Amino acid sequence: MKKNLLSAILLSATVLIGLSSCSKDDNNNNNTSNNIEQTTDAALSDFVNVLGEPLYADFVTKATTLNTAVQTLKANPTAANQTAAQNAWRDVRVTWEQSEGFLIGPVEDDNYDPYMDTWPTDKNQMNQLLAGTQTLNVEYLESETSDAELTLRGFHPLEYLLWGEFDPADYTSRQKDYMAALAQDILNNTKALQSSWTTGGFANEITGAGQTGSRYTSKEDALEAIANALIDICNEVGETKMPTPFGNTQADADSTQAESPYSHNSIIDFKNNIQGAYNTYICSYGGKTGTSLSSLVQINNKNLDNQLKNAFTNAIAAFDGFGNYTFEQAIYTQRPIVQNVIDQITALKTTVEDGLIPYIQQYIKN
């Protein structure tokens, strides 16, 4: 009797423990699911409110400063005013290049990227335009929309005029008209791009992913678009921007194919591209951070999050290997350094493709 009673008590305890264990597992699963859903909503919202809209607002502010500096240089072409315009050009490029970490939506759909940042330029083509009789104003630039014509618009023709062997005291009236039109065109496009997120409604399409009126059929779709943007910029820097001027051998190298050859800003451009991608992954801009893709990955795979962060860190740090060399010098004399940066960006791209995209597809459910 005592043995049977003890057995019954032990059996009851085992059942209770088992039921308790099942209940605990179910709650964990539910909590994880709820956490992913809440984090997904927050990541999409913060992508807009912490990263996207503040960055584009800064872009307008800096483009306004650039436009003012160039108009001042046109009116009073001194060395000091030329330097001020050069500094403003470099400053706005930081924001623009970081924004390329998420080239999705209107910036791609409405051609703001090629309108402002087509490269490489053709010095002969620009000089022919300057030697001609075409009125050089913003209306003319806005009409230039073919691939061949786009090299005459945006940051890089302005770069040529600010750095390309031009003594400010010797600027011709056409050169001054051209650079003033270029700066105004950049500002106009920057304002239009910002507006496409706000009054144009693209921000609402992201935060309202899966709802009527959004191009994104699901939250997973929106997060994949952001993640694929990371891959796209790795492709652009690691497979085009750097390899094209680098060439297969030293004999193939061609510095005229670099992105910013007149200002020698190319390395800074490339680094800011990858920094912008990292900012996108961790949702960080202007000293503020938000819920991010990283936050989502940490829920189920902290190891993957560490791998992604390490890959970003390695790629960004690789640029420090250039030291005082410009990219235009390094492709001829420091080729192992260039190759190392390309390799690190390729490794980053692979980690995003093989890790982040499958994670989103597995865990983000609508």
Side-chain angles (χ1 to χ4, degrees), residues 92-161:
V92 73
R93 289 287 292 176
V94 172
T95 304
W96 166 249
E97 294 298 328
Q98 289 189 7
S99 80
E100 291 195 314
F102 55 94
L103 285 179
I104 60 174
V107 67
E108 182 179 39
D109 298 344
D110 299 331
N111 293 321
Y112 294 115
D113 185 2
Y115 288 166
M116 290 188 284
D117 200 27
T118 294
W119 55 271
T121 56
D122 183 337
K123 186 185 296 187
N124 292 331
Q125 185 184 22
M126 290 185 289
N127 287 338
Q128 287 173 8
L129 177 64
L130 289 167
T133 58
Q134 169 66 51
T135 300
L136 297 176
N137 54 28
V138 71
E139 290 78 17
Y140 165 69
L141 293 179
E142 289 171 348
S143 71
E144 299 289 277
T145 57
S146 71
D147 289 345
E149 293 168 339
L150 288 174
T151 61
L152 295 172
R153 293 180 69 174
F155 286 113
H156 298 296
L158 180 56
E159 177 196 9
Y160 172 60
L161 290 166

Side-chain angles (χ1 to χ4, degrees), residues 307-325:
Q307 289 176 5
L308 284 159
K309 287 178 176 175
N310 286 337
F312 274 113
T313 298
N314 292 339
I316 293 168
F319 287 99
D320 295 338
F322 283 105
N324 293 324
Y325 291 99

